[in-house]
């Protein structure tokens, strides 16, 4: 099949411009002038209020399938992704059962996903105490890197690394040329949250200092081993100077943040609204603005969802107890409009947002054919109306459970259609399972 997308506005090479994008058998074969002849191709005409984007790449998604598919599952997660303009996800090694900490568990995960995904899906491996010897086999099996926790992960089957174990695993991944990604909070500083409906009580139990201390440890370990490290879901703006200094020094360090840290604020969390609980926590408005500065300065590299859902009962919506509630934000379908809403308010161009949410994450995990509109890339494309607004209805989202802190919020930017390898995402699942090195 040959298609020609005529887009008066498209994000190509980091800028917005008119383009005609030619697609043959699911690949982009040419980027031409808007007036290019169709030459027999089926033409997809974008309206003047629409922008053609590359499909987003979300490298931080907890699908929880198998084992906890009542929290989320491959069909619901990937439909939500497509509805939000995400065409590639990389699934975290927890909270599925078993966690993806050896090749056997990876095969179980791949079997659960086969034939059930609506977008392309890759997998992280897990780095836990005692499995350093498993990393080479997982790397060879095609995982995109290894996730670790530096404090209690919240599930007993996925243990956390102490400083010596972190250095051990980073030494192994350095030898493999693999990426180690870390939940960076220091368990010696984090306190048990009190049973309280007051968000301020929960926030106080996980101070910025806990993140800062853990990130300092990651930087030291990466420096000592030469390993490549990535800090997930940064929420503490206090850590930005040390991150910038480490990068300037040449430490192999990258950092992500998430839509909820860029759009939500601690001051606005209502009493008992446990849908806002996540770890590390949503912080104050002043902290949020510094994260935006870190993004625009290049200190923070990418924006991904950390979609971490659970069933409504685990969120303790009935009691509103932040101490007891599961920590995780459900936002896979909403990341693009949430970030675009905040970006537009700050004069940030849509092309910058696309860089943070499509090309940047693709580069992070080595997916050269994803995250950009370029010749040779997969024709993963999104028709986006950046000026449209909508009010979030949690019950209407494709996520398995109708829980999100964005319920009732008005966001700007509507995904009108999503295309995976040159075909609209609709009907039967067409997603593929990806391996590291997919070219």
């Amino acid at each position: 099949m040959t298609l020609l997308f005529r887009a008066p506005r498209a994000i190509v090479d980091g800028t917005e411009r008119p383009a005609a994008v030619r697609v043959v058998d699911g690949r982009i074969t040419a980027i031409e002038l808007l007036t290019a002849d169709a030459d027999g191709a089926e033409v997809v005409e974008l309206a003047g209020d629409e922008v053609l984007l590359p499909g987003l790449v979300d490298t931080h998604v907890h699908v929880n399938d198998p084992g906890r598919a009542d929290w989320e599952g491959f069909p619901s997660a990937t439909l939500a992704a497509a509805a939000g303009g995400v065409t590639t996800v990389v699934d975290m090694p927890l909270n599925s059962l078993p966690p993806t900490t050896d090749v056997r568990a990876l095969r179980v995960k791949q079997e659960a996903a086969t034939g059930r995904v609506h977008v392309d899906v890759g997998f992280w491996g897990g780095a836990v105490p005692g499995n350093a010897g498993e990393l080479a086999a997982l790397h060879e099996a095609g995982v995109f890197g290894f996730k670790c926790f530096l404090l209690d992960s919240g599930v007993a089957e996925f243990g956390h690394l102490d400083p010596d174990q972190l250095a051990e695993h980073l030494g192994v991944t350095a030898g493999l040329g693999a990426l180690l990604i870390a939940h960076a909070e220091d368990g010696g500083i984090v306190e048990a949250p009190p049973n309280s409906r007051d968000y301020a009580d929960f926030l106080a139990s996980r101070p910025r200092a806990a993140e800062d201390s853990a990130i300092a440890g990651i930087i030291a370990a990466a420096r000592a081993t030469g390993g490549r490290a990535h800090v997930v879901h940064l929420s503490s703006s206090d850590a930005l100077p040390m991150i910038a200094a480490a990068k300037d020094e040449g430490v192999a360090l990258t950092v992500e943040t998430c839509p909820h840290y860029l759009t939500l604020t601690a001051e606005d969390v209502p009493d008992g609204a446990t849908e806002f609980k996540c770890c590390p926590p949503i912080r104050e408005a002043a902290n949020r603005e510094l994260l935006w500065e870190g993004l625009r300065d290049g200190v923070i590299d990418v924006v991904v969802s950390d979609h971490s859902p659970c069933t409504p009962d685990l969120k303790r919506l009935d009691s509103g107890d932040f101490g007891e509630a599961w920590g995780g934000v459900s936002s896979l379908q909403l990341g693009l409009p949430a970030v675009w809403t905040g970006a537009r308010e700050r004069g940030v161009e849509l092309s910058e947002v696309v860089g943070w949410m499509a090309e940047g994450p693709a580069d992070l995990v080595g997916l050269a054919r994803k995250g950009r509109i370029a010749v040779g890339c997969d024709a993963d494309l999104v028709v986006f109306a950046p000026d449209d607004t909508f009010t979030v209805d949690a019950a209407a989202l494709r996520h398995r459970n109708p829980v999100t802190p964005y319920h009732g919020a008005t966001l700007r930017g509507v995904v009108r259609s999503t295309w995976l390898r040159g075909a609209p995402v609709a009907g039967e699942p067409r997603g593929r399972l990806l391996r590291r090195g997919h070219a």
Side-chain angles (χ1 to χ4, degrees), residues 265-343:
T265 66
E267 293 91 336
D268 293 332
V269 177
D271 287 349
T274 53
E275 59 270 30
F276 287 81
K277 180 181 176 180
C278 56
C279 302
I282 294 161
R283 303 192 186 277
E284 302 84 357
N287 180 87
R288 177 186 66 181
E289 296 313 308
L290 290 170
L291 292 178
W292 276 103
E293 289 183 22
L295 260 177
R296 301 207 70 186
D297 292 342
V299 180
I300 301 172
D301 300 273
V302 297
V303 180
V304 291
S305 70
D306 188 15
H307 178 67
S308 186
C310 66
T311 53
D313 60 303
L314 293 177
K315 270 296 186 184
R316 301 292 192 264
L317 299 175
D318 52 348
S319 67
D321 186 339
F322 281 102
E324 292 291 334
W326 175 262
V329 166
S330 294
S331 64
L332 180 55
Q333 187 172 335
L334 299 171
L336 175 58
V339 175
W340 171 234
T341 299

Side-chain angles (χ1 to χ4, degrees), residues 30-65:
I31 299 172
E32 306 173 41
L33 296 176
L34 188 62
T35 54
D37 194 291
D39 288 332
E42 179 182 338
V43 176
V44 180
E45 295 273 4
L46 271 69
D49 68 335
E50 296 175 335
V51 184
L52 188 67
L53 310 182
L56 304 189
V57 177
D58 193 335
T59 55
H60 196 147
V61 179
H62 293 268
V63 178
N64 308 318
D65 192 356

Side-chain angles (χ1 to χ4, degrees), residues 133-419:
E134 304 285 348
L135 303 189
L138 278 165
H139 181 72
E140 182 64 25
V143 299
F144 285 86
F146 301 94
K147 167 72 175 292
C148 71
F149 275 71
L150 303 185
L151 81 170
D152 185 356
S153 71
V155 291
E157 67 275 2
F158 199 94
H160 67 281
L161 303 183
D162 65 25
D164 290 340
Q165 292 164 336
L166 173 65
E168 177 191 13
H169 282 75
L170 259 175
V172 173
T173 57
L176 297 171
L179 178 63
L180 185 73
I181 69 175
H183 180 125
E185 288 182 285
D186 186 331
I189 296 175
V190 168
E191 299 175 357
N195 296 112
S196 172
R197 290 174 51 85
D198 188 339
Y199 181 75
D201 292 335
F202 167 66
L203 180 60
S205 73
R206 299 185 93 102
R208 299 184 208 184
E211 280 188 85
D212 305 339
S213 173
I215 291 169
I218 292 166
I219 290 170
R223 181 187 294 118
T225 62
R228 185 172 161 228
H230 177 77
V231 174
V232 300
H233 50 50
L234 178 72
S235 81
S236 171
S237 63
D238 289 353
L240 292 172
M242 84 169 88
I243 292 167
K247 289 185 168 191
D248 288 344
E249 179 190 336
V251 175
L253 181 70
T254 49
V255 179
E256 70 186 44
T257 193
C258 305
H260 41 282
Y261 302 128
L262 296 171
T263 58
L264 306 175
T265 66
E267 293 91 336
D268 293 332
V269 177
D271 287 349
T274 53
E275 59 270 30
F276 287 81
K277 180 181 176 180
C278 56
C279 302
I282 294 161
R283 303 192 186 277
E284 302 84 357
N287 180 87
R288 177 186 66 181
E289 296 313 308
L290 290 170
L291 292 178
W292 276 103
E293 289 183 22
L295 260 177
R296 301 207 70 186
D297 292 342
V299 180
I300 301 172
D301 300 273
V302 297
V303 180
V304 291
S305 70
D306 188 15
H307 178 67
S308 186
C310 66
T311 53
D313 60 303
L314 293 177
K315 270 296 186 184
R316 301 292 192 264
L317 299 175
D318 52 348
S319 67
D321 186 339
F322 281 102
E324 292 291 334
W326 175 262
V329 166
S330 294
S331 64
L332 180 55
Q333 187 172 335
L334 299 171
L336 175 58
V339 175
W340 171 234
T341 299
R344 183 173 173 138
E345 291 170 355
R346 293 164 178 82
V348 177
E349 298 292 334
L350 181 57
S351 57
E352 290 185 78
V353 172
V354 169
W356 299 328
M357 302 188 76
E359 186 171 355
D363 289 346
L364 178 72
V365 295
L367 286 171
R369 290 211 319 250
K370 299 293 189 182
R372 68 210 83 211
I373 297 175
V375 173
C377 288
D378 291 346
D380 300 343
L381 301 168
V382 175
V383 178
F384 184 63
D387 298 325
D388 274 8
T389 61
F390 68 102
T391 300
V392 178
D393 177 1
L397 298 176
R398 297 291 194 135
H399 306 157
R400 170 146 301 177
N401 293 294
V403 179
T404 178
Y406 293 100
H407 178 68
T410 298
L411 300 179
R412 188 173 293 276
V414 171
V415 173
R416 290 185 177 167
S417 64
T418 300
W419 300 67

